[in-house]
Amino acid sequence: QLSSLADAERVGEAVGSSLAAMRRMTAEELLTKNRAPQRREFSTPRSVGPIIDGWIVPRGVKAAYDSGQVHAAPLLIGSNSDEAAFFVSEWPVKTVVELRKYAKDNFGEFADEVLSFYGVSSDADVPRALKVIFADTRWNYGVRGVARAMSRLQPKTFRYYFTRKRGGAVADPTHTEEIPYVFGNLEAQWSITPLRRPKPTANEIDRLLSETMMGAWVRFAITGDPNGGGLPSWPAYDASTDPYMEFGDTVRAGKGLRTRYLDFMARFF
């Protein structure tokens, strides 16, 4: 979702109403007023980012896709198996009571139903559920929605799901961790803030997977179709079966990726 012009203007008022005063601000003062909130909401637009201003961006993403007012280019779109770990690890939501309040802020009277659907019965369930609910609302639902909408306009629409734990790591891949594989840059070492999680050294499985992904992405860039080069058959997206290609310890096609959960979330968007 994108913020409206009115909502964005309200956010801007936190910086100030005097242009002269704002121009006198130091970088530190400006950044202090532009810090991300301690927690982000499940279903509301980001406070800072593209907005529906009625000029450059005349309508929201969903409205544009629903009305077919998008460029029907071939599309390759997907997500990772633990997208939200990067974002929620330091949120002050640790107990069932805190998660229920957070859910109520986002889902209103359906908060208890959401917690039940995602299997929350004790405080021990909260870290997992928080990650999964945020991933479904912020990434997985959008990925599926764009794939469904574009597939009605462009048959060359393909969905992926990245699950490889680099170097045999314990944690599932979080946001952006498929990118080094796509660009063949596995030797780069970095830590993800706020997780501060160093990347294990890539092994032969990672290198072979990177070669496979690079080939698929290059073929897609050239032809609009990632198939070929020994890749298992990657089906074009079909809303009736939710097909995808998994890139993990093995590369395989699947169907029904989180369909039950995303159908549930569709009630709220």
Side-chain angles (χ1 to χ4, degrees), residues 9-166:
E9 287 174 340
R10 281 193 289 272
V11 172
E13 289 171 358
V15 179
S17 57
S18 167
L19 186 58
M22 286 189 283
R23 286 173 173 166
R24 290 194 298 270
M25 283 184 179
T26 65
E28 290 75 15
E29 289 172 328
L30 183 59
L31 288 172
T32 297
K33 293 178 179 293
N34 193 36
R35 294 193 190 284
Q38 192 175 27
R39 69 173 203 195
R40 287 169 56 183
E41 302 305 318
F42 285 134
S43 56
T44 54
R46 296 178 64 178
S47 58
V48 178
I51 66 170
I52 304 171
D53 64 348
W55 184 256
I56 301 298
V57 182
R59 61 189 63 82
V61 176
K62 187 175 186 302
Y65 276 106
D66 287 347
S67 61
Q69 294 178 301
V70 297
H71 182 53
L75 176 68
L76 195 158
I77 189 170
S79 57
N80 297 349
S81 55
D82 196 7
E83 284 282 1
F86 174 90
F87 299 91
V88 306
S89 61
E90 295 183 351
W91 285 6
V93 181
K94 308 297 183 185
T95 67
V96 173
V97 172
E98 291 167 341
L99 182 57
R100 180 176 289 110
K101 182 182 184 306
Y102 188 25
K104 189 172 181 60
D105 290 343
N106 287 266
F107 300 107
E109 63 184 286
F110 300 102
D112 285 337
E113 185 179 353
V114 170
L115 266 61
S116 175
F117 190 81
Y118 280 85
V120 180
S121 59
S122 71
D123 291 350
D125 299 322
V126 171
R128 171 198 54 79
L130 182 64
K131 289 194 302 181
V132 174
I133 296 171
F134 194 64
D136 279 350
T137 57
R138 286 291 178 177
W139 286 279
N140 297 325
Y141 180 78
V143 165
R144 187 183 78 163
V146 170
R148 286 188 167 187
M150 185 61 89
S151 67
R152 294 195 295 267
L153 307 172
Q154 168 56 257
K156 290 183 176 180
T157 298
F158 301 89
R159 184 181 181 188
Y160 72 85
Y161 189 54
F162 185 77
T163 61
R164 172 62 185 165
K165 301 174 183 178
R166 175 174 163 153

Side-chain angles (χ1 to χ4, degrees), residues 141-234:
Y141 180 78
V143 165
R144 187 183 78 163
V146 170
R148 286 188 167 187
M150 185 61 89
S151 67
R152 294 195 295 267
L153 307 172
Q154 168 56 257
K156 290 183 176 180
T157 298
F158 301 89
R159 184 181 181 188
Y160 72 85
Y161 189 54
F162 185 77
T163 61
R164 172 62 185 165
K165 301 174 183 178
R166 175 174 163 153
V170 174
D172 283 305
T174 188
H175 193 56
T176 75
E177 289 193 32
E178 81 276 35
I179 303 301
Y181 290 80
V182 172
F183 288 97
N185 194 24
L186 294 177
E187 302 313 312
Q189 291 288 328
W190 78 102
S191 295
I192 292 183
T193 304
L195 296 181
R196 307 293 182 187
R197 193 165 80 193
K199 299 295 143 213
T201 301
N203 59 26
E204 186 62 17
I205 295 175
D206 297 298
R207 286 185 281 274
L208 290 173
L209 180 61
S210 179
E211 290 289 336
T212 298
M213 294 179 71
M214 283 193 290
W217 262 249
V218 168
R219 286 189 297 274
F220 175 79
I222 295 171
T223 69
D225 189 333
N227 282 290
L231 183 75
S233 179
W234 188 340

